[in-house]
Amino acid sequence: MDKETLNLYKKLIKDFAEKEIAPMLEAPGRDGDLSKLPSIITTAEEIGLFHEENGLWGTETLKAPTVCLDILEQLSEVCAGVATCIHSRAIKNLTDGASACLKGIVVDTDHPTKIALLQFDKITIADAELEELIPRTGLGSPKIYRAKITQTHHNIEGATPYKAYLLGLCAIACGNAKGAIKKAYRYASERVQGGTEIKNHPAVKELLGRASAIYMLCRNALRDCFSRFNEITEEEILSMWAMVRELAVEAVSSALQVFGGYGYMEDYRMEKRLRDAMTLRGLPPSPLKTRIKIAENTGDKPW
Amino acid sequence: MVSNLSPVKARERLNLIGRLLYDVRPLTLWERDTKTLPWPFAKLRKRYRDFAQKVIAPLALQGDLDPSSIDIKEIFVKSALEGFQTELMPYPIGTGHPIALARSFLLGPMLKAEEFCSACAGIGLALLAHDLGMAPLFISGSPKAILGWMRKIYKNIKRGEPEIAAFAITEPQAGSDAEETEGAEKAHSGCRARRVKGGWLINGRKVFISNGKVAKWITLFAAVEDGKMESWTCFLLDKSMKGLSTGRSEIKMGQRAADATELILEDVFVPDERVIGPVKAGWAINRNVLNYSRPVVGAIALGIARGAFERALQFCHEARLNNKRLIEYREVQMELASMLTKIQAMRALVWHTAKYTIPFQSAGSIAKVFCSDTAWEVCNQAMALMEDHGFLHVHGVEKAARDARLTQIYEGTNQINLLAIVEGQLNAEFRI
């Protein structure tokens, strides 16, 4: 993708996020007006986000994989839930139309008909009984199911779906944190306490600085992973999986703290970001299990 | 089969004195800690726990999903009939155990906070915020407030009247400013009292008031005449007063069973007899109430963390992975041990803070900051340990995490509390 096309694409996504997704969150409700979600997904399809070649996780897009990071970050800056819906829908282009299933958990916009069990080097298409996981902390937009496999069909070789799925969710966690931090900076410039904008208070500077540092660390690490998408190892992906989601919770929590009591109230949509971050972190395998697996995989020859 | 090297087996090889010095009793930390409590606190702790398990816990999840579906006043009355809502004063004014109050004014409320909030922090907050609302009456030191108003209100509560109290300091433009010196010096109080014949006319708004919706009595702080925060005066209002109304109840991330409601004051006439403490002494009363309430927030955080741990532990006993219970995995045991360590550290600090005869600023803030931060850590550990079960409402752990997050914000954000620690120890410790 040349630079001009890339910039146009980014603008398209940004406009989509601001004009289609943001209004959903302006309505009252724990996760906004979820009745708008089907039309958001339809519009996402119309602008080509699920296109087999040039959409998210499309064959052409994967030739410049950092575009996928940019798309997901842009979307999740506004709403991690909708970004997760779009991500899980786009992944189906890589899994023969089946919904991605990692460690028994399926995330999708609708009730799946087939699921794709993800492993690093292959995916297995299967049927499953699904139990919807509600009520839950956050990510109100997608449906999240626990899958009990009833029958397996065929395998598809290759690591792309696994990499795309995990790194994509990490990108969403990161983008969600970015949105929280941007909002916190704006609020800190407007809110006055002690006769001055709170951005001038050392404590607020510390919170914003901490959140920013975490975001930049995670974003840069992810950017590196996305840019080496084809060569990246399982341990590198698991490292992102183990750390980015947990750090993202910390970053969002620091950003929320800037708001004081207002950050805890539904209206300001900061607590929603924290709930979304906590739910993303909860998708298995857990950070603890992942760290243990990294050590086991690495054996006695790290780096 | 128990190994010969296990403490229980190894101990058997010691002589009598050696065995007396080696404690391997299979007791929970709750049981052990309760045994260390001086009389009558051990008995109180058990009573609080029983009440929490029988009355509060069954309503916890429902109250979180739909706060309007539970009746806080009904729970308050049940708690009051146990004597738990009139404990700031001893008999005959209240139901506080006189020896307990003499030994430690704060330990009783802290034990209550831990037990109630391990069952449900929302319901616990609603019950404890009543004590916060009553605290200015006691802390003002005013005989009229204590022997007059407190006695009257407590008498009604003991009879089973749901006369809940609320503490009102936060304003839309003064959140942190209402809680620390530097900010308050530059702040303007939006809530103002103007002198009229026989009393005061109060105008303004207060926000995020716990129990604002259900309370009958409100201890409210307003600046008098054209003064700033230093002119703050404490007034005792009640909901029957003309011009006093409630506005919006916020929808919170957690502790949802307790309402956080706006109070709107439009020319509310408050007679002189309702001024609590001297005029313009409100700032001192406010700051000192926080000295008593912040350690209790530490105990609330401790209770939330303990509740999360207990539920995660139960989950680990029930859930299986590869035909083995989760609890049998060493990695899971280590994580649970880490959580337990933090909970014990919180309890140690909270109980240590209770030993100070008169609570002081930095002690309260230290307990609040440490416990709230640690509780957030513990709850997140519990959630992460349970993976996809961790974010499900039914297990109560994600609710505990959402509840814990508020303890880092109310009674002064932790950042404000750090400033309070510096101020409190400015000369003695920091020597600035």
Side-chain angles (χ1 to χ4, degrees):
Chain A
M1 226 182 256
D2 61 70
K3 202 172 176 186
E4 197 184 329
T5 310
L6 192 60
N7 286 338
L8 278 169
Y9 201 3
K10 281 186 183 176
K11 185 170 184 320
L12 180 72
I13 303 300
K14 189 169 188 267
D15 287 346
F16 167 71
E18 283 171 5
K19 290 177 183 152
E20 301 295 327
I21 305 176
M24 182 184 104
L25 298 174
E26 282 158 21
R30 200 167 183 246
D31 297 291
D33 182 1
L34 293 176
S35 69
K36 289 189 157 76
L37 186 63
S39 72
I40 292 173
I41 301 298
T42 303
T43 309
E45 180 145 32
E46 285 166 3
I47 66 170
L49 267 171
F50 307 130
H51 192 265
E52 268 180 15
E53 289 171 15
N54 296 315
L56 177 62
W57 306 121
T59 48
E60 286 303 304
T61 319
L62 275 170
K63 291 177 183 171
T66 52
V67 172
C68 297
L69 170 63
D70 291 335
I71 292 172
L72 287 171
E73 201 179 69
Q74 195 90 276
L75 295 173
S76 53
E77 221 183 285
V78 178
C79 178
V82 173
T84 306
C85 287
I86 290 172
H87 171 57
S88 62
R89 175 80 185 265
I91 283 279
K92 288 179 180 178
N93 284 342
L94 304 173
T95 56
D96 274 3
S99 304
C101 176
L102 183 67
K103 297 289 179 192
I105 299 298
V106 179
V107 181
D108 204 342
T109 42
D110 296 308
H111 194 283
T113 48
K114 285 229 174 317
I115 64 168
L117 306 173
L118 298 181
Q119 292 173 264
F120 180 68
D121 48 3
K122 71 173 183 214
I123 60 173
T124 305
I125 307 299
D127 295 331
E129 281 170 11
L130 298 170
E131 177 201 348
E132 195 176 354
L133 301 182
I134 49 169
R136 60 175 182 264
T137 312
L139 284 188
S141 298
K143 301 212 186 294
I144 302 181
Y145 301 93
R146 192 171 294 121
K148 189 176 164 191
I149 309 304
T150 50
Q151 190 179 3
T152 57
H153 297 291
H154 59 277
N155 291 340
I156 302 173
E157 299 298 315
T160 301
Y162 179 87
K163 291 182 193 178
Y165 187 70
L166 272 78
L167 288 179
L169 288 173
C170 290
I172 290 170
C174 206
N176 181 44
K178 182 183 182 187
I181 296 165
K182 278 170 88 166
K183 206 166 165 173
Y185 271 99
R186 261 198 314 274
Y187 181 80
S189 298
E190 292 162 0
R191 175 78 168 161
V192 172
Q193 290 287 271
T196 181
E197 291 100 18
I198 61 171
K199 68 177 183 188
N200 296 321
H201 289 275
V204 171
K205 287 181 192 175
E206 199 278 329
L207 288 167
L208 290 171
R210 174 193 298 269
S212 303
I214 289 173
Y215 162 70
M216 285 192 275
L217 179 77
C218 292
R219 185 206 55 191
N220 290 340
L222 275 173
R223 191 158 290 278
D224 176 65
C225 287
F226 272 81
S227 66
R228 292 183 300 108
F229 190 84
N230 293 328
E231 298 86 41
I232 194 170
T233 63
E234 189 182 8
E235 287 69 51
E236 285 175 304
I237 297 171
L238 291 176
S239 300
M240 294 296 110
W241 188 252
M243 300 309 297
V244 167
R245 298 177 301 153
E246 209 159 50
L247 287 169
V249 171
E250 192 183 329
V252 175
S253 188
S254 293
L256 184 151
Q257 190 72 0
V258 170
F259 286 74
Y262 291 102
Y264 200 71
M265 306 305 167
E266 193 180 87
D267 284 356
Y268 278 68
R269 294 291 179 217
M270 286 300 287
E271 61 84 35
K272 176 197 174 297
R273 288 185 182 277
L274 185 55
R275 287 188 289 107
D276 288 345
M278 289 158 76
T279 310
L280 280 164
R281 182 196 53 201
L283 296 172
S286 67
L288 171 66
K289 268 194 196 158
T290 310
R291 289 193 285 269
I292 289 168
K293 183 155 167 66
I294 292 168
E296 286 171 351
N297 280 9
T298 304
D300 59 357
K301 290 185 168 64
W303 312 297
Chain B
M1 193 171 112
V2 180
S3 161
N4 285 333
L5 294 176
S6 75
V8 170
K9 281 290 201 182
R11 180 178 173 269
E12 287 169 8
R13 292 167 185 256
L14 295 169
N15 66 12
L16 174 64
I17 296 171
R19 287 202 298 277
L20 285 171
L21 292 171
Y22 194 171
D23 185 358
V24 295
R25 290 172 299 165
L27 296 172
T28 65
L29 290 174
W30 192 94
E31 287 163 336
R32 283 185 180 276
D33 288 340
T34 305
K35 284 177 190 296
T36 67
L37 288 171
W39 187 86
F41 291 109
K43 190 175 170 194
L44 265 176
R45 197 181 194 208
K46 287 169 192 165
R47 287 186 60 220
Y48 292 141
R49 187 180 216 190
D50 281 344
F51 182 82
Q53 286 174 345
K54 285 179 188 147
V55 177
I56 299 178
L59 298 172
L61 293 182
Q62 176 197 344
D64 182 64
L65 274 183
D66 180 10
S68 64
S69 70
I70 62 166
D71 186 349
I72 285 292
K73 287 186 180 177
E74 188 187 324
I75 302 168
F76 178 88
V77 167
K78 284 182 183 170
S79 178
L81 293 174
E82 294 284 336
F84 296 158
Q85 300 301 139
T86 44
E87 288 177 305
L88 294 185
M89 296 302 293
Y91 183 84
I93 297 176
T95 50
H97 197 294
I99 294 176
L101 286 172
R103 282 189 126 140
S104 168
F105 185 80
L106 273 186
L107 185 55
M110 283 163 152
L111 294 174
K112 181 166 67 175
E114 183 187 340
E115 295 309 323
F116 283 12
C117 295
S118 72
C120 174
I123 297 173
L125 174 64
L127 298 175
L128 293 161
H130 163 76
D131 286 338
L132 179 62
M134 294 298 293
L137 302 180
F138 165 69
I139 279 165
S140 68
S142 155
K144 186 178 78 175
I146 297 170
L147 300 173
W149 291 112
M150 265 187 108
R151 184 208 288 268
K152 175 186 163 166
I153 296 169
Y154 270 9
K155 187 176 166 191
N156 292 341
I157 292 172
K158 283 190 284 184
R159 270 203 330 241
E161 299 291 332
E163 297 205 0
I164 302 174
F167 179 70
I169 57 170
T170 306
E171 299 180 7
Q173 302 308 322
S176 300
D177 281 352
E179 312 240 9
E180 63 93 21
T181 306
E182 240 178 85
E185 272 172 352
K186 296 169 191 157
H188 266 284
S189 180
C191 208
R192 314 199 71 78
R194 183 167 54 87
R195 193 87 178 95
V196 294
K197 189 177 174 187
W200 302 81
L201 270 186
I202 304 184
N203 283 278
R205 285 164 61 210
K206 296 286 189 187
V207 292
F208 305 160
I209 306 305
S210 296
N211 287 344
K213 194 162 138 190
V214 297
K216 177 178 173 177
W217 299 99
I218 300 161
T219 43
L220 181 139
F221 293 75
V224 302
E225 304 297 354
D226 294 326
K228 294 165 90 171
M229 299 291 234
E230 64 200 49
S231 72
W232 256 22
T233 300
C234 181
F235 299 92
L236 177 67
L237 278 62
D238 73 81
K239 286 280 184 68
S240 68
M241 286 175 163
K242 197 166 160 233
L244 174 62
S245 59
T246 54
R248 212 188 127 89
S249 285
E250 301 291 341
I251 304 172
K252 301 183 292 186
M253 180 181 175
Q255 296 192 26
R256 287 160 55 85
D259 71 86
T261 302
E262 182 184 23
L263 299 175
I264 302 165
L265 299 100
E266 293 168 310
D267 279 349
V268 178
F269 174 70
V270 180
D272 283 324
E273 59 172 13
R274 294 286 191 102
V275 175
I276 303 301
V279 173
K280 296 188 185 178
W283 183 250
I285 295 173
N286 167 44
R287 291 308 299 272
N288 204 20
V289 165
L290 294 173
N291 293 343
Y292 284 73
S293 66
R294 281 170 175 168
V296 177
V297 172
I300 289 173
L302 162 62
I304 295 170
R306 195 189 95 201
F309 168 78
E310 287 169 353
R311 287 175 210 112
L313 178 63
Q314 187 187 348
F315 175 80
C316 293
H317 274 282
E318 291 165 357
R320 300 185 89 88
L321 177 67
N322 300 332
N323 259 335
K324 200 166 138 184
R325 288 181 310 154
L326 278 186
I327 192 73
E328 294 171 57
Y329 286 88
R330 186 63 91 191
E331 302 88 335
V332 170
Q333 292 166 3
M334 298 281 284
E335 199 65 6
L336 289 168
S338 163
M339 288 158 58
L340 196 57
T341 305
K342 290 172 188 171
I343 290 166
Q344 275 305 92
M346 281 193 266
R347 186 172 299 117
L349 179 57
V350 163
W351 287 16
H352 172 74
T353 308
K355 286 186 191 151
Y356 296 116
T357 314
I358 307 282
F360 57 95
Q361 185 164 304
S362 30
S365 290
I366 288 169
K368 193 261 195 205
V369 169
F370 178 77
C371 291
S372 59
D373 283 346
T374 310
W376 174 239
E377 260 179 60
V378 168
C379 291
N380 276 279
Q381 266 182 288
M383 267 190 83
L385 183 66
M386 293 168 66
E387 282 187 319
D388 49 296
H389 292 269
F391 59 63
L392 277 183
H393 187 263
V394 68
H395 296 295
V397 171
E398 65 89 31
K399 172 189 174 298
R402 287 185 285 110
D403 291 344
R405 189 62 185 82
L406 184 54
T407 62
Q408 293 177 301
I409 298 173
Y410 62 15
E411 296 303 275
T413 62
N414 282 2
Q415 288 67 34
I416 291 297
N417 274 272
L418 289 175
L419 288 177
I421 294 165
V422 172
E423 186 187 45
Q425 299 305 112
L426 199 67
N427 295 318
E429 210 86 50
F430 291 94
R431 282 184 251 125
I432 300 167

